[in-house]
Amino acid sequence: MLLVLAAAALGLAFFFVVELASQPARERKEVLARATRYGRSRPLSVGSEELSFSRRALKPLMAKMARTMMKLNRKTSLEALQWTLQGAGMRDVSTDAFLAAKGLCGGGGLLLGLLLGGVSGGSAMLLFPVGFGALGYIAPGFIVNGRARRRREEAVSQLPDALDLLAVSVEAGLSFDAAISKLTEHMNGPLVEELELMLGEM
């Protein structure tokens, strides 16, 4: 029974990770579909059968799991978490999706630990579930923080070249926003992504 539960939890965790990874592409496709439908007449109400599976089942489940994770760790700040995700270049990932992934990984690790502890017996019956559950819970945050740190280091390493190109562009007579636009045409990387975001906000 434990083996079936562990396999189901790991399968569900894998499914959520795949959904999380493919979310930006689905959202882009939805935006394009909305843009092509713009201006056309549409029915006044949309039936529940027309809603996608992710809207009907996954999003409410993710929101519920995120609320549960917030209750378990009251020190978690959604604003700080959003900044961390943005710093890692994961702007398309919502805080609910990230917290749900943490919960699923923690639950999957707990079930895997129960399974391994049941097979091993002895004191491992308690150590394995706690260890694997904690590892599953901590791993997503560790991965995101590591990605944010690498991205920050890459941005710092790109800064001298970017400032040089900005100075040359401004000296050539371009305005500051035009110089940033020129910079985004000739460079790529995390610093340029942040500058593109700043340009869009300007």
Side-chain angles (χ1 to χ4, degrees):
M1 182 65 179
L2 282 175
L3 181 60
V4 172
L5 284 173
L10 288 175
L12 194 60
F14 178 74
F15 177 73
F16 267 102
V17 168
V18 169
E19 281 288 313
L20 189 65
S22 62
Q23 184 181 6
R26 286 198 315 275
E27 286 178 355
R28 275 195 300 274
K29 185 187 268 187
E30 188 178 333
V31 167
L32 285 173
R34 273 202 320 256
T36 56
R37 289 194 307 267
Y38 183 74
R40 295 182 189 168
S41 62
R42 58 181 178 175
L44 293 176
S45 62
V46 179
S48 60
E49 68 276 3
E50 293 180 17
L51 296 175
S52 66
F53 175 71
S54 67
R55 283 186 184 274
R56 283 185 286 121
L58 293 182
K59 287 201 175 179
L61 184 63
M62 277 197 299
K64 189 173 182 181
M65 193 171 291
R67 284 195 300 272
T68 305
M69 298 304 294
M70 290 291 291
K71 286 177 186 173
L72 288 175
N73 187 5
R74 295 189 182 275
K75 291 182 180 179
T76 303
S77 164
L78 287 179
E79 188 179 352
L81 185 57
Q82 187 66 48
W83 278 109
T84 305
L85 289 170
Q86 285 184 4
M90 302 168 71
R91 290 188 184 85
D92 297 325
V93 178
S94 67
T95 53
D96 282 356
F98 179 71
L99 288 171
K102 280 186 81 166
L104 276 174
C105 289
L110 184 68
L111 286 174
L112 183 64
L114 282 172
L115 175 68
L116 292 175
V119 171
S120 301
S123 61
M125 287 185 72
L126 183 62
L127 288 175
F128 278 170
V130 171
F132 278 101
L135 185 67
Y137 178 79
I138 292 169
F142 184 76
I143 291 168
V144 168
N145 285 331
R147 185 171 172 176
R149 188 171 56 250
R150 283 194 305 274
R151 199 165 179 270
R152 195 163 49 243
E153 288 169 359
E154 285 177 28
V156 169
S157 69
Q158 285 182 322
L159 196 56
D161 292 336
L163 289 175
D164 188 34
L165 187 54
L166 273 177
V168 168
S169 301
V170 170
E171 285 172 3
L174 292 177
S175 63
F176 183 64
D177 54 341
I180 292 176
S181 179
K182 183 66 69 176
L183 174 69
T184 58
E185 289 174 14
H186 294 287
M187 290 182 69
N188 54 20
L191 180 64
V192 176
E193 288 172 13
E194 295 298 323
L195 289 171
E196 281 177 345
L197 180 65
M198 184 189 76
L199 193 60
E201 288 175 349
M202 285 168 63

